Amino acid sequence: MPLKDSYTLPAAADMHVHLRNAPGPIASLVTPTIRKAGIDTVFVMPNLAPKPVVSVSEALDYKSHLLALDDKVNYLMSLYLHDSITPDEIRKAQKAGIAGVKAYPKGATTNSQWGVVSFDPFHSVLQAMEEEGVVLNLHGEVPSSATDGVTVMNAEAKFLPTLKSLVDKYPKLKIVLEHCTTADAVEAVRSCGGNVVGTITAHHLSLLVDDWSANVHHYCKPSAKSPEDRRALLQAVVNSNGKFFLGTDSAPHDISSKKGKGNTAAGVFTQPYALGYVLQALEEGITRGDISESAVTQDVLEGFFSTYGRKFYNVAPASQQIKLTRGAATVEESLKSDEAEIVPFRAGEKIWGVEWL
Amino acid sequence: MPLKDSYTLPAAADMHVHLRNAPGPIASLVTPTIRKAGIDTVFVMPNLAPKPVVSVSEALDYKSHLLALDDKVNYLMSLYLHDSITPDEIRKAQKAGIAGVKAYPKGATTNSQWGVVSFDPFHSVLQAMEEEGVVLNLHGEVPSSATDGVTVMNAEAKFLPTLKSLVDKYPKLKIVLEHCTTADAVEAVRSCGGNVVGTITAHHLSLLVDDWSANVHHYCKPSAKSPEDRRALLQAVVNSNGKFFLGTDSAPHDISSKKGKGNTAAGVFTQPYALGYVLQALEEGITRGDISESAVTQDVLEGFFSTYGRKFYNVAPASQQIKLTRGAATVEESLKSDEAEIVPFRAGEKIWGVEWL
């Protein structure tokens, strides 16, 4: 076994989670699993349906409902980049501690129907964000288009020129390229200054296109890609130096949206065991030769799981420690209530368990 | 509407079908839909489970059970390339009217666990096939491998050097590259002599990776790929000149293998409306500008659906005519018996209907 059997680390921060509407059946199931994972801070995505979070008051209202589900978690709230948002709302957001504004290209993923077609109309909003230090969170894909030759396999690569143009136009804007899935995306983030970073999920460190092709619980947007891309992500984790940190994009969907009639919802649910999934992926990556054993240091894990993300979002360091132990937990077959059932990643497998110290 | 509202054509031949074990619940459901589709001749795949068809006697036994389900269909039988097959069995197969020997790369698709790792051990068998005029049917994919950078997206392209080496080594061997899915495969077939052809499915003329990413009923091996690849397939149909003909790879799976627990079985079920699906895909291709309206001639349809495949397999021309009429049928939500349920492609949609004249 290339990794140690246990790690003591500062509590982790997951800088990209979907908790869904609160109050609501899915939020009730998944919010209590945040701390179970050894995580005390989450950046909460605003793509609720039937209406995304587009104002400070909505974000704060959402936060209060999440606190009612678990008040020991630090919820970093976000707005959905939408034409109803004004520069004034951005300034208000900054004062209210809203951590970021998420841009969804229209049609690219779950609840992106209210999303962005072009960034041009948002010029004054983006300027205000740059001035106020409010982060722009990018779902970095262009929508699929047969005419333009865009599919789920190259949608991220085709978005990267947009990232570049935003960086050129707003050089001080803090930007997160969310859930990087390709070597190209890693390279694009590296080529930018320190105000541009990338998040990496747990599942993209393990999955390839083959895995989701035959398993609906592995299907997500952006989709997992090639062995070379996965290798680049693993290498980005161990050579992050603050440029890449954890954002799981844990995306719970009721099993009826995964295995029911109709199309498969995109999303992998990793919340309860996020850190264990990453350790397992790193270990598998070492075994395959994608990364070296010596690269997975205490510093690398502390940085990727906890310190880099907090630093980027100006969040204080973790006050508590956690201990991760190999094989100390078994992933449930599903999380279930009377109203919802969610199948987690690696259901039924042994995984690293978490203790709060 | 770019196409005419009806076409009168010779009965069609589908040179790649999966009818599953006979007697058996799936064969009982799908075999009676062959003629419903306007098809009188089918090339039947030998990848049965738990044991593939590896001898002439097994193939003839299988054929007798299919005839019991519908005795108006001409079943072209095949063997599964397997180390139990001898050159003598090939000579016996030729005399018994067995039409081809199918090679499955081990691990590449449904029931390929008994398949080929290397063609080298089959040298004397392939020589016998070349001498006897027995067709080699290739599942043209290499198995996925993280080490070698092979995924479902490039598995076909990576097989093409193997096709080339077989052609070089057995220049007179009749070869079908089954279910071409890429522009590269089309080009590879075109670059070979007249003894090498390709089949094209109905569903690969419509689907892209995006379509199967979110719909288990669209997932198959080889998987559907990019808009450029789909365009190349549509162009291959209308510029076939005998190099490409219909082989639907219609692959029925019980809904429990598609929507149940566990991984998704690969296969799209197109048997009952195969020709209608192709017409619809051609029409959509014209609308998108992938092919021109004037390219879809009576000769093109007769050749692709009926005459090119028969000629390649030395089957007599069709003796009956069929009439295809726009919107004259509606695809069932599923084909169902007490023992099985199969969801067809484009379930619930209006489609071209078939009359036998």
Side-chain angles (χ1 to χ4, degrees):
Chain A
M1 297 289 183
L3 294 190
K4 295 196 297 177
D5 285 338
S6 73
Y7 290 93
T8 299
L9 297 167
D14 181 350
M15 294 308 188
H16 185 139
V17 302
H18 295 274
L19 302 176
R20 309 304 185 201
N21 294 58
I26 292 185
S28 298
L29 269 176
V30 308
T31 309
T33 71
I34 295 170
R35 279 177 48 87
K36 179 178 171 155
I39 290 164
D40 70 358
T41 298
V42 289
F43 182 98
V44 183
M45 287 292 149
N47 60 334
L48 305 184
K51 193 184 173 311
V53 178
V54 296
S55 71
V56 173
S57 65
E58 286 168 351
L60 296 181
D61 182 58
Y62 183 25
K63 183 175 181 171
S64 71
H65 289 294
L66 294 173
L67 283 165
L69 290 168
D70 186 346
D71 64 5
K72 294 199 183 70
V73 174
N74 179 20
Y75 301 96
L76 304 177
M77 305 308 292
S78 63
L79 305 182
Y80 188 113
L81 187 59
H82 184 267
D83 54 20
S84 67
I85 293 182
T86 60
D88 267 357
E89 194 71 13
I90 295 298
R91 286 184 273 271
K92 206 171 136 193
Q94 196 279 332
K95 286 187 185 68
I98 303 295
V101 178
K102 176 72 181 279
Y104 290 94
K106 189 182 175 78
T109 190
T110 307
N111 299 336
S112 64
Q113 59 269 46
W114 310 283
V116 170
V117 175
S118 156
F119 283 92
D120 293 344
F122 297 97
H123 177 58
S124 60
V125 169
L126 293 166
Q127 268 187 322
M129 290 170 64
E130 189 179 24
E131 285 161 21
E132 299 291 333
V134 173
V135 172
L136 176 66
N137 303 83
L138 294 172
H139 180 109
E141 289 192 299
V142 296
S144 289
S145 156
T147 321
D148 300 333
V150 183
T151 69
V152 292
M153 295 306 289
N154 63 8
E156 183 175 88
K158 294 211 178 233
F159 179 82
L160 298 174
T162 302
L163 170 66
K164 176 84 167 52
S165 73
L166 286 166
V167 170
D168 289 347
K169 201 161 172 186
Y170 310 100
K172 292 180 185 164
L173 181 60
K174 292 180 81 169
I175 296 179
V176 185
L177 186 65
E178 301 287 338
H179 42 53
C180 299
T181 64
T182 56
D184 289 343
V186 168
E187 183 51 37
V189 169
R190 279 203 195 290
S191 73
C192 298
N195 54 319
V196 179
V197 298
T199 54
I200 295 179
T201 76
H203 56 282
H204 287 119
L205 296 173
S206 323
L207 298 178
L208 302 175
V209 52
D210 283 60
D211 298 300
W212 59 262
S213 72
N215 187 322
V216 294
H217 299 300
H218 294 168
Y219 170 56
C220 59
K221 295 289 300 289
S223 62
K225 302 200 169 62
S226 74
E228 296 80 6
D229 290 315
R230 181 176 62 184
R231 187 180 308 130
L233 299 178
L234 288 161
Q235 291 174 353
V237 171
V238 298
N239 300 305
S240 164
N241 299 315
K243 285 297 264 186
F244 299 94
F245 50 80
L246 180 66
T248 63
D249 193 15
S250 173
H253 287 284
D254 186 71
I255 195 164
S256 63
S257 306
K258 281 291 197 181
K259 282 279 186 180
K261 213 172 150 60
N263 279 2
T264 305
V268 180
F269 177 58
T270 53
Q271 198 68 69
Y273 304 100
L275 310 187
Y277 295 140
V278 173
L279 290 182
Q280 189 154 349
L282 290 169
E283 195 153 71
E284 291 166 358
I286 292 167
T287 305
R288 276 193 309 271
D290 286 347
I291 51 174
S292 74
E293 189 171 337
S294 61
V296 183
T297 63
Q298 179 78 14
D299 278 356
V300 156
L301 296 178
E302 290 189 7
F304 184 74
F305 284 148
S306 185
T307 57
Y308 297 150
R310 290 175 206 267
K311 197 169 167 198
F312 185 79
Y313 283 106
N314 299 316
V315 173
S319 56
Q320 279 189 279
Q321 297 264 306
I322 55 164
K323 185 179 173 190
L324 282 152
T325 305
R326 183 193 297 281
T330 302
V331 181
E332 295 84 355
E333 291 295 336
S334 70
L335 275 71
K336 215 168 172 170
S337 69
D338 288 346
E339 297 165 292
E341 180 175 3
I342 299 157
V343 176
F345 187 49
R346 295 189 186 262
E349 295 184 24
K350 281 266 181 199
I351 192 80
W352 299 69
V354 171
E355 277 173 90
W356 285 82
L357 303 180
Chain B
M1 297 290 185
L3 295 190
K4 294 196 298 178
D5 286 339
S6 72
Y7 289 93
T8 299
L9 297 167
D14 181 350
M15 293 310 188
H16 185 139
V17 301
H18 295 274
L19 302 176
R20 308 305 185 199
N21 294 59
I26 291 185
S28 298
L29 268 177
V30 308
T31 309
T33 72
I34 296 170
R35 279 178 48 88
K36 179 179 172 154
I39 290 164
D40 69 358
T41 297
V42 290
F43 182 99
V44 183
M45 288 292 149
N47 60 333
L48 304 184
K51 193 184 174 309
V53 178
V54 296
S55 71
V56 174
S57 65
E58 285 168 352
L60 296 180
D61 182 58
Y62 183 24
K63 182 174 181 173
S64 72
H65 288 293
L66 294 173
L67 283 165
L69 290 168
D70 185 345
D71 64 4
K72 294 199 181 69
V73 175
N74 179 20
Y75 302 95
L76 304 176
M77 304 309 292
S78 63
L79 304 182
Y80 189 112
L81 187 59
H82 183 266
D83 55 21
S84 67
I85 294 182
T86 61
D88 267 356
E89 195 71 13
I90 295 298
R91 285 184 273 273
K92 207 172 134 192
Q94 195 280 330
K95 286 186 185 71
I98 303 295
V101 178
K102 176 75 182 278
Y104 291 94
K106 189 181 175 82
T109 189
T110 307
N111 299 336
S112 64
Q113 60 268 47
W114 310 282
V116 170
V117 175
S118 157
F119 284 93
D120 294 344
F122 297 97
H123 177 59
S124 60
V125 169
L126 293 166
Q127 268 187 321
M129 289 171 63
E130 188 178 26
E131 286 162 21
E132 299 291 332
V134 173
V135 172
L136 176 66
N137 303 84
L138 295 171
H139 180 108
E141 289 192 299
V142 295
S144 289
S145 156
T147 322
D148 300 332
V150 184
T151 68
V152 293
M153 295 306 288
N154 63 8
E156 183 176 89
K158 294 207 178 238
F159 179 82
L160 298 175
T162 303
L163 170 67
K164 176 84 168 57
S165 74
L166 287 167
V167 169
D168 288 347
K169 200 161 176 187
Y170 310 100
K172 291 181 185 163
L173 181 60
K174 292 179 82 169
I175 296 178
V176 185
L177 186 66
E178 301 286 338
H179 42 53
C180 300
T181 64
T182 56
D184 289 342
V186 167
E187 183 51 38
V189 169
R190 280 204 194 289
S191 72
C192 299
N195 54 319
V196 179
V197 299
T199 54
I200 295 178
T201 76
H203 55 283
H204 287 119
L205 295 173
S206 322
L207 297 177
L208 302 176
V209 52
D210 284 60
D211 297 300
W212 60 261
S213 72
N215 188 322
V216 294
H217 300 300
H218 293 169
Y219 169 56
C220 59
K221 293 290 301 289
S223 64
K225 304 203 167 63
S226 74
E228 297 78 4
D229 291 316
R230 180 176 63 183
R231 187 180 307 130
L233 299 178
L234 288 161
Q235 290 173 352
V237 171
V238 299
N239 300 306
S240 165
N241 300 313
K243 284 297 263 186
F244 300 95
F245 50 80
L246 180 67
T248 61
D249 192 15
S250 172
H253 287 284
D254 185 71
I255 195 164
S256 63
S257 307
K258 282 289 197 180
K259 282 278 185 180
K261 214 173 148 64
N263 278 2
T264 306
V268 180
F269 177 58
T270 52
Q271 198 68 71
Y273 305 99
L275 310 187
Y277 296 141
V278 173
L279 291 182
Q280 189 155 349
L282 291 170
E283 196 152 71
E284 290 166 0
I286 293 167
T287 305
R288 275 192 310 270
D290 286 347
I291 50 173
S292 75
E293 189 171 338
S294 61
V296 184
T297 62
Q298 179 78 14
D299 280 356
V300 156
L301 295 178
E302 290 189 7
F304 184 74
F305 284 149
S306 185
T307 58
Y308 297 150
R310 290 175 205 269
K311 197 170 167 198
F312 185 79
Y313 282 105
N314 299 316
V315 174
S319 56
Q320 279 188 280
Q321 298 264 307
I322 54 165
K323 186 180 173 189
L324 283 152
T325 306
R326 182 194 297 280
T330 303
V331 181
E332 295 83 356
E333 290 295 336
S334 70
L335 276 70
K336 215 168 174 173
S337 70
D338 288 347
E339 298 166 293
E341 180 175 4
I342 300 158
V343 176
F345 187 49
R346 295 190 187 262
E349 294 185 24
K350 280 268 180 196
I351 192 80
W352 299 68
V354 171
E355 277 173 89
W356 285 82
L357 302 181

